[in-house]
Amino acid sequence: QYWHSVLPAPLAGGQDTSHSGYPLVRDIGSIRLIGASSACVTPVFSARGAVGAGQLQRLGQELGRAREQGQMPCLAIHHPPLPGMAPWRKALREVKSLKAMIATFQPALVWCGHLHHNREFRERDSRIFCTASASCVHHAAYRVFDIEPGVDGGHRGWNIHMQLKSSVPGTDRFL
């Protein structure tokens, strides 16, 4: 009952462990936030992820819809979305398909975690940010994004400013 406002109905009650309610989509003005689920059951010592064929198809539809409507698409997914970002035992099963989708639809921002460290990648015009958890003991971090519509050479674009806030061991302040 506590999660009904942010999770799809089948998942809010904790009954559905499939990805049927994903991707989650929230429009904030002309920004489309798309949240994909990569959680799945894995054997011991494995932390792989999977999105599944159905969710992958719906994800492509949402990214395409954002493009058609002139929105700025942003994708959030727990597992890193590109080959080589994570070792095999922590990688996403559909990583090649997701890379192709990112190359095709070029979401402006892609956010992931899972690796417990801060990294930045680029795939064409997409900026991909892997961020350590805010609860990580040694590398706690989060990112702040300021996004504004902009005009660049007569084409509608976006002005995006990102700040990485990272804890400094032994102090209570952030950089």
Side-chain angles (χ1 to χ4, degrees):
Q1 73 183 12
Y2 299 108
W3 298 103
H4 285 283
S5 65
V6 293
L7 289 176
L11 296 175
Q15 305 302 315
D16 185 359
T17 57
S18 73
H19 296 302
S20 63
Y22 287 93
L24 286 176
V25 178
R26 300 288 186 264
D27 292 329
I28 301 172
S30 53
I31 299 171
R32 174 159 283 198
L33 301 175
I34 304 169
S37 175
S38 57
C40 65
V41 177
T42 60
V44 176
F45 301 115
S46 175
R48 296 202 70 196
V51 294
Q55 182 182 194
L56 199 61
Q57 179 183 4
R58 293 186 301 273
L59 183 57
Q61 291 168 348
E62 291 300 337
L63 288 166
R65 191 172 291 127
R67 176 189 282 178
E68 291 167 6
Q69 296 175 358
Q71 294 175 297
M72 184 182 94
C74 300
L75 172 62
I77 185 167
H78 182 71
H79 288 79
L82 299 179
M85 286 179 69
W88 181 86
R89 72 172 201 84
K90 292 184 174 187
L92 186 65
R93 286 189 192 128
E94 301 91 344
V95 72
K96 290 180 182 176
S97 297
L98 200 54
K99 177 183 178 173
M101 188 172 293
I102 289 170
T104 299
F105 294 107
Q106 299 182 44
L109 299 170
V110 180
W111 301 298
C112 67
H114 192 57
L115 300 179
H116 305 279
H117 57 258
N118 301 309
R119 298 285 187 271
E120 295 180 23
F121 301 88
R122 186 179 282 271
E123 178 66 28
R124 291 188 170 183
D125 288 337
S126 297
R127 297 290 307 268
I128 302 166
F129 297 95
C130 180
T131 306
S133 169
S135 62
C136 187
V137 175
H138 299 291
H139 305 287
Y142 65 95
R143 295 178 193 268
V144 177
F145 291 86
D146 291 310
I147 303 170
E148 297 177 349
V151 178
D152 182 21
H155 299 288
R156 183 180 169 102
W158 300 94
N159 296 320
I160 302 170
H161 179 75
M162 185 278 301
Q163 295 177 55
L164 175 65
K165 302 286 188 169
S166 181
S167 63
V168 177
T171 70
D172 293 330
R173 65 186 185 88
F174 283 88
L175 301 176

